[in-house]
Every structure is written in C-alpha cells, then in structure tokens.
C-alpha cells in the first residue's frame, strides 16, 4: 500500500512494512521522526523511541497534535495517518534537497538535449517519401499490416517484431527446432503413383516423371500468385490520397 512512498524515503523494508502490527508501526513512527521529519529536538524524541512503553500511544497522540497538519489526528484510521505522515515527510525531504534535485534535473535535461543533437535518428523525417517507401518495403518483407497515416505506430510494430522474433536467440531457436537429424527421404519411381495404369514399365516411369515435373510447375505458379497478391496488398493497403481530385488511390 505504501511501497512507493517508503521507497522514495529509503525505508529499510518498504515491501514488508506491516502497519497493522503494533511493534512494526511504532518502529516506523520512531524511524520517520528521527530520520526524516525531525519535529522534535533529539532529546525530546525519547518518548517515541521507547516503543515498548505503556505511555507510547500518549506520546504518539501528542506527536500528531504537535505536527499541526490538516486532517491528521488520532481519531482517523491508521492507514490515513500513515499516508499523511509519509506525504509530509516527502515534502520535507524535497525541501531539504531542493537545490540538489534541481541541479540533477537540469544536468539530465542538458544530457538529453546533447543526446538529441548527436543522435542521427532524431534528424530523420519520418513522413518523408523516402522513409515511407523504405518502411513499406520492410512491411512487405515482414508481413506487417499498414495503419493509414500513422507511420509511427507501424514503425513501432516493425521494431517490436524484429526485437522479439528476429533477435539472435529467437533465430537460433527456430533453426534448432527445424533442424532434422534424419536422413533426407530418397524418392524412387517405384514409390510414386503415376495415376494411370500402363502395362509398359518404361512408359509408366515416363508418366511418373512427367507428373513430378507438372507438380513442380504448379508450385512455381503458386509462388508467383502469392507474390502478385502481396504486391497488390501493398498498393491497396497504403493508398495515396490526392485531396484536390477527391480521389483515394491511384
């Protein structure tokens, strides 16, 4: 519940803080007063540090009153008390380190500016014709869908695909998966069905060879058909708009 704020304050166990445990809660109050808030002088913090004392809760009630923070009192739920105290401590922490934080932020902004000036990717015009044409070619190769007038989204999709699917580890895993230790299958004419019955063995073998050649031609034809479909999809999926003519596409 309070992990982020506890982490921001460098609390020793932000993920294991059991605020419902009385001893853990009292230790937390003692820690945050000594390390972050420092409302009292050191000699006046003893009553909060004595977490096993029967008088501790009275000291805690006085502490809440002395902090003089709106809506903070002993009557509200413990969760709200902790939330308000943590927020107050973070404000104090920022105030104490304001110059250091602002200096660090300024240095980070300067580094980012220098990085942008020297990074060639920052100078690319992602809407230029050359860039879009190159991106479309990559889309076609990777079979990435087109999103009209949103080059950035398409580029992010291409980047994600390459990062996840084409990294060396993924490529090697694919090669290992498809690697076969078996010997290649050797086809013989006797194992092929000619589809017709010929009494002449020589003629029967010739028919089988012709059938294999025909199958190869069909495969080549299917490949060309697939290439044509991809080319057409590339054109139809990325129409060029001429608003002056009121037309979409070529």
């Amino acid at each position: 519940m309070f992990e982020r704020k506890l982490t921001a304050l460098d609390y020793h166990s932000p993920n294991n803080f059991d605020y419902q445990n009385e001893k853990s809660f009292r230790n937390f109050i003692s820690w945050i007063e000594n390390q972050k808030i420092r409302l009292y002088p050191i000699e006046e913090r003893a009553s909060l540090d004595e977490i096993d004392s029967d008088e501790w809760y009275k000291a805690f009630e006085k502490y809440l009153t002395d902090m003089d923070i709106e809506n903070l009192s002993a009557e509200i739920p413990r969760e709200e008390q902790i939330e308000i105290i943590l927020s107050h401590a973070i404000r104090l922490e920022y105030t104490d380190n304001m110059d250091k934080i602002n200096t660090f932020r300024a240095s980070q902004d300067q580094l980012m500016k220098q990085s942008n000036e020297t990074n060639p990717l920052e100078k690319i015009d992602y809407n230029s014709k050359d860039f879009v044409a190159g991106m479309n070619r990559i889309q076609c190769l990777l079979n990435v869908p087109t999103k009209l007038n949103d080059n950035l989204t398409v580029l992010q999709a291409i980047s994600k695909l390459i990062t996840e699917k084409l990294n060396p580890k993924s490529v090697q895993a694919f090669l290992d998966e498809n690697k076969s230790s078996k010997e290649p299958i050797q086809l013989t004419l006797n194992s092929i069905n000619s589809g017709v019955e010929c009494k002449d063995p020589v003629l029967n073998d010739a028919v089988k060879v012709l059938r294999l050649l025909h199958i190869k031609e069909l495969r080549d034809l299917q490949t060309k058909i697939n290439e044509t479909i991809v080319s057409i999809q590339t054109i139809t999926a990325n129409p060029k708009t001429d608003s002056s003519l009121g037309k979409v596409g070529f």
Side-chain angles (χ1 to χ4, degrees):
M1 183 182 295
F2 310 108
E3 289 86 350
R4 293 180 64 184
K5 290 185 176 180
L6 289 170
T7 301
L9 293 170
D10 293 327
Y11 188 62
H12 50 78
S13 53
N15 298 320
N16 301 316
F17 174 47
D18 183 7
Y19 66 91
Q20 295 178 336
N21 179 279
E22 189 64 27
K23 187 173 183 180
S24 177
F25 174 69
R26 293 185 179 189
N27 271 318
F28 162 73
I29 296 298
S30 174
W31 174 84
I32 203 166
E33 164 58 19
N34 280 286
Q35 300 297 324
K36 303 298 176 181
I37 297 178
R38 305 183 185 92
L39 177 66
Y40 296 149
I42 295 177
E43 60 273 10
E44 294 182 18
R45 300 174 191 168
S47 57
L48 289 176
D49 293 339
E50 295 173 356
I51 61 174
D52 295 324
S53 171
D54 294 336
E55 301 295 320
W56 187 89
Y57 201 77
K58 290 182 179 180
F60 176 61
E61 289 180 337
K62 180 178 182 300
Y63 181 60
L64 296 181
T65 303
D66 292 343
M67 290 178 74
D68 192 24
I69 299 176
E70 185 179 1
N71 298 325
L72 179 61
S73 68
E75 285 74 31
I76 65 175
R78 178 172 290 183
E79 294 90 339
E80 295 182 24
Q81 292 174 348
I82 296 173
E83 185 68 31
I84 294 173
I85 291 172
L86 284 172
S87 297
H88 178 62
I90 288 175
R91 282 194 296 271
L92 294 175
E93 186 82 353
Y94 175 77
T95 303
D96 291 344
N97 297 280
M98 186 182 301
D99 292 340
K100 184 188 298 184
I101 293 172
N102 289 339
T103 301
F104 175 77
R105 184 178 298 168
S107 65
Q108 291 298 306
D109 291 342
Q110 183 63 27
L111 287 174
M112 183 64 70
K113 182 179 179 181
Q114 293 175 354
S115 176
N116 291 342
E117 291 175 352
T118 57
N119 186 359
L121 295 178
E122 296 294 333
K123 300 178 181 179
I124 294 177
D125 180 3
Y126 295 101
N127 294 313
S128 67
K129 292 182 179 180
D130 291 339
F131 179 83
V132 173
M135 186 179 69
N136 289 340
R137 287 195 294 271
I138 297 176
Q139 278 181 259
C140 181
L141 290 172
L142 300 179
N143 198 24
V144 175
T146 294
K147 188 172 183 181
L148 189 61
N149 298 327
D150 194 350
N151 295 336
L152 181 58
T153 300
V154 175
L155 189 62
Q156 289 172 338
I158 292 174
S159 175
K160 185 175 182 180
L161 177 63
I162 292 175
T163 302
E164 294 182 358
K165 302 296 184 181
L166 298 180
N167 61 71
K169 186 176 180 181
S170 298
V171 172
Q172 187 60 48
F174 175 80
L175 293 175
D176 293 341
E177 183 180 347
N178 289 275
K179 186 184 296 182
S180 175
S181 58
K182 298 179 180 179
E183 292 293 329
I185 298 175
Q186 297 291 335
L187 289 177
T188 61
L189 290 177
N190 291 332
S191 64
I192 299 173
N193 185 4
S194 65
V196 295
E197 292 296 333
C198 298
K199 295 182 179 180
D200 187 345
V202 177
L203 181 59
N204 201 37
D205 288 345
V207 171
K208 292 178 182 180
V209 171
L210 290 174
R211 190 178 187 190
L212 289 175
L213 292 173
H214 180 60
I215 291 173
K216 182 180 181 303
E217 289 179 349
L218 287 177
R219 285 184 176 178
D220 292 340
L221 177 62
Q222 184 63 54
T223 300
K224 292 178 181 178
I225 292 173
N226 291 341
E227 291 174 351
T228 303
I229 292 173
V230 171
S231 299
I232 294 173
Q233 286 177 338
T234 302
I235 296 173
T236 58
N238 187 29
K240 295 182 179 180
T241 303
D242 188 343
S243 57
S244 63
L245 297 177
K247 294 182 180 180
V248 177
F250 292 95

